[in-house]
């Protein structure tokens, strides 16, 4: 094995010139805020049944508590490179934490479901902006041979949020109701806000002061509107399919195709005219990055679809309480946090494509084996399958971003981080809606109602059908990962 890469020392004032201790403190600060955003995106799932009962909602309308967040988060990711270039690391991060904090407080105090949806949109906007930032920081300020280590340690902290969140949230839900779920992000937001004042530099990713260099370019509002309306039409169309409104759903999905085609044409035009597009299509000229985006889209659909499906499966399919749901998910989450640093270090030594395939294989097996469970199955068997899937995630998460973005030129990294996160979340938004649609369809096909108080084997089998679809998605992602040619950090 050859020695680690040793590039020449960076010029003073550039982001890579940050001292080692400063880089790690910066990363720790980002980890706290990202934990808050991830917790707000996933923990709401355990509160959906209680929220549905409180506001007298149907399954398709209650699902918008998740879908509205995913919609806002997906679209706002495209603005991260522009915000960082215009306002810098510190102001962008402080703004996202303030918005996330406001969404948690307003959602927890809401007496109307429309207010809850508005709070979820605010939380989603903040989460979308903040989530590409750590990958940009790691790729711009850490040396190639330590990027896997940084990614693994950062992701280990982040996954503790969904690992501990359902367990704590289940207890809070049993004692204080669904409102407590919103308030869980408040302490993390306050801590992130305080840390950012000391640990986040007032610089752009290029090392300039905010407002200097080319940071004065206006935001591509037309592209943002096209992307937002296209995503909204797509999700509304899928909800229409869920509700049996076939004609309206077909019209909305057709409008989504037109809007997204217009968005891509406008981005290409912006690029040709020397503008600042939200989505720089030049990054897709790198074959490895393009294939990584394909993997990210399919993987996002499977991951977020299962994140929505698993708590609902345990409560409506197996009849477990929210506290028991948290008890099942906690060990798997802790194992995931332990495996991720190993996956990160391996991404510095092995081709990330191999690690991605291994992780997808384990994740797909966990989905494919779910039909083995029955109404009499204990939480141990359910926990074992969940554990298997989380071990797979431990190999996928660090390797996917690194494997895709190592193919990019350094100035393209902010755009690349934004794009791959956007693609993954777009897949996730579609995956959540798809799981809801498939679940409703399979339950009706088996003569079952998801709102009935009884837990039958036929209703459980409706869930199994959806898990098999998720397993098939993992196989499709493996085919794309197999074609990736991702270099190691020590070539």
């Amino acid at each position: 094995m050859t020695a680690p890469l040793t590039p020449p020392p960076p010029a003073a004032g550039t982001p890579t010139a940050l001292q080692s201790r400063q880089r790690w403190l910066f990363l720790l600060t980002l980890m706290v805020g990202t934990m808050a955003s991830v917790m707000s995106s996933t923990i709401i799932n355990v509160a959906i049944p209680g929220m549905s009962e409180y506001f007298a909602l149907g399954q398709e309308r209650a699902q918008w508590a998740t879908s509205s967040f995913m919609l806002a988060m997906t679209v706002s990711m495209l603005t991260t490179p522009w915000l960082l270039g215009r306002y810098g690391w510190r102001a962008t991060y402080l703004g996202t934490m303030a918005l996330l904090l406001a969404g948690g407080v307003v959602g927890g105090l809401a007496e109307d479901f429309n207010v809850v949806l508005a709070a979820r949109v605010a939380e989603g906007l903040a989460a979308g902006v903040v989530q590409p930032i750590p990958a940009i920081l790691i790729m711009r300020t850490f040396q190639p041979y330590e990027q896997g280590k940084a990614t693994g340690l950062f992701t280990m902290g982040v996954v503790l949020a969904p690992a501990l969140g359902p367990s704590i949230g289940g207890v809070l839900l049993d004692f204080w109701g669904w409102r407590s779920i919103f308030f869980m992000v408040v302490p993390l937001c306050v801590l992130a806000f305080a840390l950012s004042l000391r640990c986040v530099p007032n610089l752009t990713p290029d090392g300039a002061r905010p407002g200097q260099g080319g940071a004065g370019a206006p935001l591509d509002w037309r592209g943002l509107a096209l992307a937002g309306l296209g995503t909204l039409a797509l999700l509304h169309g899928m909800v229409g399919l869920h509700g049996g409104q076939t004609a309206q759903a077909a019209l909305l999905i057709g409008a989504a195709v037109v809007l997204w085609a217009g968005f891509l044409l406008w981005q290409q035009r912006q690029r040709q005219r020397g503008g600042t597009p939200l989505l720089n299509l030049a990054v897709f000229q790198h074959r490895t990055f393009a294939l990584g985006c394909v993997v990210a889209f399919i993987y996002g659909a499977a991951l977020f679809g299962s994140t929505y499906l698993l708590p609902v499966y345990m409560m409506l399919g197996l009849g477990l309480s929210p506290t028991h749901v948290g008890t099942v998910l906690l060990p798997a989450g802790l194992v995931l946090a332990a495996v991720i640093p190993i996956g990160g270090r391996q991404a510095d030594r092995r081709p990330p494509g191999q690690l991605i395939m291994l992780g997808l294989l384990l994740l797909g097996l966990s989905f494919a084996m779910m039909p083995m469970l029955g109404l009499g199955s204990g939480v141990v068997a359910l926990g074992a399958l969940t554990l298997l899937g989380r071990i797979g995630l431990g190999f996928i998460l660090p390797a996917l971003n690194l494997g895709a973005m190592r193919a990019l030129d350094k100035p393209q990294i902010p755009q690349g981080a934004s794009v791959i996160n956007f693609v993954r979340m777009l897949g996730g938004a579609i995956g959540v809606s798809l799981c809801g649609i498939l679940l409703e369809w399979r339950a009706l096909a088996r003569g079952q109602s998801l709102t009935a108080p009884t837990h039958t084997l036929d209703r459980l089998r409706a869930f199994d059908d959806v898990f098999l679809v998720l397993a098939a998605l993992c196989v499709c992602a493996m085919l794309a990962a197999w074609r990736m040619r991702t270099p190691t950090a020590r070539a």
Side-chain angles (χ1 to χ4, degrees):
M1 183 177 297
T2 59
L5 300 176
T6 54
T14 62
T16 49
L18 295 174
Q19 296 179 358
S20 178
R21 181 173 179 271
Q22 187 179 4
R23 290 201 305 265
W24 289 103
L25 288 175
F26 190 175
L27 190 64
L28 173 64
T29 304
L30 290 179
M31 183 179 72
V32 175
T34 310
M35 285 175 67
S37 68
V38 171
M39 183 176 290
S40 65
S41 69
T42 57
I43 199 173
I44 193 68
N45 295 324
V46 300
I48 285 179
M51 195 183 303
S52 301
E53 182 179 353
Y54 184 87
F55 291 110
L57 304 172
Q59 178 73 15
E60 63 278 1
R61 181 153 169 78
Q63 186 182 320
W64 272 103
T66 299
S67 298
S68 61
F69 182 99
M70 298 292 293
L71 168 65
M73 179 168 60
T74 301
V75 176
S76 66
M77 281 180 177
L78 294 174
T79 67
T80 300
W82 181 85
L83 288 170
L84 290 176
R86 182 70 175 268
Y87 299 106
W89 298 108
R90 181 184 296 170
T92 301
Y93 190 63
L94 287 173
T96 58
M97 290 300 100
L99 187 58
L100 189 61
L101 175 64
V105 172
V106 171
L109 298 175
E111 290 293 342
D112 184 87
F113 187 66
N114 291 322
V115 178
V116 172
L117 290 182
R120 292 291 291 165
V121 168
E123 289 182 322
L125 291 173
V129 172
V130 77
Q131 289 199 21
I133 295 179
I136 299 173
L137 173 70
I138 291 171
M139 299 299 294
R140 292 297 299 265
T141 67
F142 287 84
Q143 300 297 345
Y145 57 84
E146 60 181 0
Q147 289 169 355
K149 176 184 176 182
T151 302
L153 291 177
F154 169 81
T155 313
M156 178 187 69
V158 170
V159 299
L160 287 175
L164 299 176
S167 301
I168 301 173
V171 174
L172 293 177
L173 196 64
D174 284 339
F175 285 95
W176 288 287
W178 61 269
R179 296 182 186 277
S180 60
I181 300 304
F182 281 89
F183 293 127
M184 283 189 65
V185 302
V186 172
L188 288 174
C189 289
V190 172
L191 178 59
F193 202 93
L195 287 173
S196 62
L197 295 175
R198 295 178 57 87
C199 303
V200 178
N202 189 28
L203 297 171
T204 69
D206 292 327
R209 291 290 176 181
Q212 296 179 354
L219 179 65
D220 182 10
W221 289 104
R222 187 179 300 181
L224 187 63
L226 287 170
L229 291 174
T231 307
L232 180 63
L234 177 62
L235 293 182
H236 264 298
M238 299 192 74
V239 170
L241 287 176
H242 192 179
Q245 302 169 345
T246 307
Q248 180 183 0
L251 183 63
L252 286 169
I253 293 175
V257 172
V258 173
L259 287 166
W260 271 102
F263 170 75
L264 294 175
L265 290 173
W266 173 251
Q267 298 306 290
Q268 181 66 16
R269 183 182 177 189
Q270 284 283 87
R271 179 189 167 207
Q272 291 172 348
R273 293 168 58 184
T276 307
L278 283 175
L279 184 65
N280 191 343
L281 300 179
V283 296
F284 292 106
Q285 294 175 353
H286 300 273
R287 177 177 178 273
T288 297
F289 181 82
L291 285 170
C293 287
V294 173
V295 176
F297 180 84
I298 301 173
Y299 162 74
L303 172 63
F304 285 94
S306 66
T307 302
Y308 162 78
L309 188 64
L310 272 172
V312 179
Y313 167 74
M314 294 180 198
M315 288 187 283
L316 299 184
L318 297 177
L320 301 180
S321 69
T323 300
H324 282 101
V325 172
T327 302
V328 171
L329 295 179
L330 177 59
L334 295 177
V335 169
L336 172 59
V339 172
I340 277 183
I342 301 173
R345 294 304 296 267
Q346 290 300 312
D348 284 337
R349 295 176 170 87
R350 300 178 182 275
Q354 295 180 2
L355 300 176
I356 296 170
M357 289 184 62
L358 173 61
L360 287 170
L361 175 63
L362 297 177
L363 183 63
L365 282 175
S366 71
F367 294 146
M369 295 172 67
M370 280 293 181
M372 297 171 57
L373 302 179
L375 291 174
S377 300
V379 294
V380 174
L382 178 61
L385 292 183
T386 308
L387 185 72
L388 180 65
R390 292 305 182 263
I391 293 174
L393 290 179
F395 288 102
I396 300 171
L397 290 173
L400 183 55
N401 278 3
L402 290 178
M405 289 197 295
R406 279 176 181 161
L408 300 178
D409 299 326
K410 205 160 192 177
Q412 294 178 317
I413 286 173
Q415 271 283 340
S418 175
V419 167
I420 197 168
N421 278 278
F422 167 75
V423 169
R424 186 176 68 246
M425 291 303 165
L426 180 62
I430 294 174
V432 170
S433 296
L434 183 64
C435 281
I437 293 169
L438 291 175
L439 178 60
E440 191 78 22
W441 169 51
R442 296 311 301 158
L444 290 175
R446 295 177 179 274
Q448 298 296 307
S449 171
L450 296 176
T451 58
T454 56
H455 304 281
T456 65
L457 184 60
D458 283 337
R459 184 159 76 178
L460 193 65
R461 294 298 169 237
F463 282 96
D464 293 340
D465 294 341
V466 185
F467 280 120
L468 291 177
V469 172
L470 294 177
L473 288 178
C474 289
V475 173
C476 294
M478 286 179 65
L479 295 177
W482 178 68
R483 296 181 61 83
M484 291 178 66
R485 299 293 185 267
T486 49
T488 62
R490 301 177 180 180

